[in-house]
Amino acid sequence: MNRVTINPDRSIGTIHRNLYGHFSEHLGRCIYGGIFVGEDSPIPNVNGMRTDVVEALKAIRIPVLRWPGGCFADEYHWQDGIGPREKRTRMVNTNWGHVVEDNSFGTHEFMELCRQLGCAPYINANVGSGTVREMAEWVEYLNSPGDSTVVRRRWANGRKEPWGVQYWGVGNESWGCGGNMRPEYYADEYRRFQTYCRDYPGSKLYRIACGANTDDYRWTEVLMDRAGRFMDGLSLHYYTLTGPTWEEKGRALTFSKSEYYELMHRGAYMDELITNHARIMDRFDPQKRVGLIVDEWGAWYLVEEGTNPGFLYQQNTMRDAVLAAMHLNIFNRHCDRVAMANIAQTVNVLQSVILTEGEKIALTPTWHVFDLYKAHQDAKAADCFVETDRIGEGKWQVDRVSASASVKDGAITLTLANLSMDEAADVAVRVPNSGKVSGRILAAEAHAHNDFDASPVASADYTDFAVNGGEISLSLPPCSVAALTIA
Ligand code: AHR
């Protein structure tokens, strides 16, 4: 028997809505085809943005969207993407497939997308191949209410009022594709670049420094020590892979039981990473002013056969849904330090919530998890103590049950995942008072997935529980994710 004990009176803080954020890069068919099809497309769109994709993202209440990369961000020059489209500069996207980037999706298009989605924009600016002036002027172009030549260009391009973009990333993976810098060097560069990213009237910036790759704790230590007081957020990137080497990664659709548990085991490492990076941040910032921004996470497999290796297109199964549920539970449980998380990536790249093919669309099992978890956004985290056993294959062991809880408007939301591939899990949930309980569940065989012809994976009402005073006894099917509302 697994036990979950919820104490709503003990809380580590609020689960910021941005923990449910997304990331969209100029990579493969994420922006082009997946989100932006242009005004003249036969695919229904509003100002070039696919209506079906916008509606699907609004349905899961997308709170924040990071753009334009990723590695692409450090080769992106924002002036190339403004003004009349036919006059925009062309470039080759050397990071992702060497395809032509015609810059038809630029700053104005991104801001229009965020307007339609009703989400906050998070712009990741270029340190690796950009200049301080270029970054400073991008902030000015978007945020300044003044009258300067830069601002007049914005007016000429059809936008009078400043947008007031709050979230700014200063470089991406500066330890790798963003310039191969050492932490000491980047810390100084960060200090210099962020100095000229000005707070214009009405637009106080939230400055995000490039953080560590996985377990590079020294990077966090050096950044916090040398630049901590100049930042609001520090990022962390960690992807979940299976397989012995990068080149021999696992696949999305075909995997053994051992690979299933390998993914779960490696995914659960996110908890250890956050704990350790947060511990270092605590030494320099005990007030927890600086947020840990997990702005790239998710499963990364070999691309689907027959697709461009530079496009990172992969399918998405029920196994990925459980991985996502586990991650979101981890972020909720660390909401005192984690201020934002962005799954990579929104459409058609890596662990997407949406796949498209021409005019067709499929909502992945991961989309359904974001749908089940949306009540956590801006809720107060509730202490949620989990007693469970370990399951797995060989060295790939993991907790059987993952959970997190929050309180909003007098109701508790409890989200649970049964990580077992083939066994149901009985769970006893203790709460101080359980009034009316209702639930939704996403359950299917681990390989189940949605595609353009059929979508067998979808959430359903969940009733397989009994309420007895302060205890709810429930049974979770194998490989499932559930959300309970306890009123
Ligand atoms: O999400 C794909 C790539 O992964 C991003 O461009 C980069 O930041 C990371 O290495």
Side-chain angles (χ1 to χ4, degrees):
M1 172 65 81
N2 308 279
R3 286 189 191 286
V4 174
T5 307
I6 302 173
N7 184 349
D9 296 329
R10 283 185 48 180
S11 176
I12 55 164
T14 298
I15 297 170
H16 199 291
R17 66 177 71 176
N18 288 346
L19 269 53
Y20 292 82
H22 292 254
F23 165 42
S24 57
E25 180 167 9
H26 287 235
L27 195 179
R29 296 186 299 112
C30 182
I31 296 289
Y32 297 112
I35 293 174
F36 182 69
V37 287
E39 293 83 346
D40 300 333
S41 171
I43 297 172
N45 69 85
V46 174
N47 297 330
M49 313 299 156
R50 289 182 74 126
T51 306
D52 52 359
V53 168
V54 167
E55 290 307 317
L57 293 174
K58 278 167 71 178
I60 55 173
R61 285 193 218 135
I62 179 173
V64 62
L65 184 61
R66 176 173 180 247
W67 172 83
C71 295
F72 181 77
D74 280 291
E75 281 195 333
Y76 183 65
H77 301 285
W78 69 271
Q79 296 97 333
D80 295 347
I82 57 170
R85 291 219 188 107
E86 62 284 2
K87 291 195 180 145
R88 292 189 191 174
T89 306
R90 289 165 77 83
M91 67 181 281
V92 171
N93 189 335
T94 51
N95 279 292
W96 305 118
H98 287 260
V99 291
V100 170
E101 164 64 62
D102 67 2
N103 279 302
S104 53
F105 188 95
T107 298
H108 288 252
E109 287 77 14
F110 177 61
M111 295 310 299
E112 167 61 11
L113 173 63
C114 292
R115 184 194 69 76
Q116 290 187 27
L117 294 172
C119 76
Y122 166 13
I123 292 185
N124 207 122
N126 181 345
V127 169
S129 70
T131 64
V132 173
R133 178 174 180 178
E134 183 181 358
M135 190 182 294
E137 290 186 348
W138 202 4
V139 177
E140 183 183 3
Y141 187 87
L142 280 147
N143 288 0
S144 173
D147 179 355
S148 66
T149 301
V150 170
V151 171
R152 284 182 178 219
R153 283 181 81 190
R154 185 185 77 217
W155 297 350
N157 290 327
R159 175 79 187 192
K160 180 76 182 149
E161 296 302 316
W163 281 282
V165 173
Q166 182 183 17
Y167 299 110
W168 286 87
V170 182
N172 168 73
E173 297 195 350
S174 304
W175 36 262
C177 65
N180 287 306
M181 302 176 202
R182 289 160 299 176
E184 293 81 1
Y185 180 79
Y186 172 73
D188 282 346
E189 285 291 89
Y190 172 78
R191 289 170 61 132
R192 189 165 71 103
F193 273 73
Q194 68 80 36
T195 301
Y196 301 96
C197 296
R198 302 297 188 192
D199 289 327
Y200 288 95
S203 302
K204 172 118 183 57
L205 303 187
Y206 186 100
R207 297 168 173 81
I208 300 168
C210 165
N213 178 19
T214 312
D215 60 351
D216 185 353
Y217 298 119
R218 187 167 172 275
W219 184 279
T220 299
E221 170 120 22
V222 172
L223 262 291
M224 288 303 293
D225 185 24
R226 300 190 177 202
R229 70 195 169 93
F230 299 102
M231 66 178 78
D232 301 294
L234 180 63
S235 68
L236 168 66
H237 288 183
Y238 174 60
Y239 286 97
T240 310
L241 281 73
T242 57
T245 63
W246 178 258
E247 290 72 26
E248 298 166 283
K249 286 190 286 293
R251 293 197 173 275
L253 291 180
T254 49
F255 52 88
S256 64
K257 189 167 176 178
S258 172
E259 283 175 281
Y260 173 95
Y261 283 111
E262 180 182 358
L263 189 84
M264 296 300 153
H265 177 94
R266 292 186 188 270
Y269 184 43
M270 179 63 91
D271 189 41
E272 184 179 327
L273 288 173
I274 293 175
T275 303
N276 291 343
H277 284 290
R279 206 168 275 154
I280 296 167
M281 294 172 79
D282 284 349
R283 282 191 4 240
F284 297 95
D285 174 33
Q287 306 301 325
K288 300 187 193 295
R289 186 190 60 77
V290 180
L292 187 60
I293 310 292
V294 190
D295 55 16
E296 290 188 32
W297 68 271
W300 190 323
Y301 305 113
L302 287 175
V303 299
E304 295 304 322
E305 272 176 56
T307 66
N308 187 327
F311 281 16
L312 310 186
Y313 177 76
Q314 63 190 41
Q315 250 291 359
N316 190 296
T317 66
M318 196 58 213
R319 174 177 67 153
D320 299 301
V322 173
L323 182 81
M326 184 216 297
H327 273 77
L328 295 172
N329 285 334
I330 292 170
F331 299 149
N332 288 347
R333 300 174 75 90
H334 285 281
C335 71
D336 55 337
R337 181 61 83 175
V338 178
M340 189 194 294
N342 308 70
I343 190 168
Q345 298 190 5
T346 319
V347 189
N348 292 334
V349 171
L350 300 176
Q351 192 175 348
S352 306
V353 291
I354 299 169
L355 301 175
T356 67
E357 195 179 83
E359 78 290 355
K360 295 185 198 152
I361 183 170
L363 304 180
T364 68
T366 300
W367 181 93
H368 287 281
V369 174
F370 277 78
D371 191 40
L372 289 179
Y373 275 59
K374 63 190 177 192
H376 283 307
Q377 293 190 25
D378 296 333
K380 191 178 81 165
D383 194 76
C384 178
F385 186 66
V386 180
E387 296 163 86
T388 187
D389 59 335
R390 301 279 284 174
I391 52 169
E393 286 264 298
K395 65 180 178 178
W396 308 121
Q397 298 291 313
V398 72
D399 284 355
R400 184 186 296 274
V401 171
S402 155
S404 68
S406 67
V407 188
K408 190 162 63 179
D409 302 331
I412 297 172
T413 297
L414 169 64
T415 46
L416 298 148
N418 176 7
L419 273 59
S420 172
M421 193 172 170
D422 45 24
E423 289 173 354
D426 292 330
V427 185
V429 178
R430 289 192 184 142
V431 276
N433 297 300
S434 55
K436 191 166 171 297
V437 183
S438 59
R440 300 278 300 168
I441 193 159
L442 185 70
E445 197 280 323
H447 298 82
H449 57 279
N450 295 335
D451 63 25
F452 307 109
D453 301 319
S455 287
V457 185
S459 66
D461 283 341
Y462 176 54
T463 52
D464 199 6
F465 55 82
V467 184
N468 188 358
E471 185 158 307
I472 307 165
S473 311
L474 50 92
S475 174
L476 293 173
C479 194
S480 66
V481 180
L484 291 188
T485 307
I486 307 164

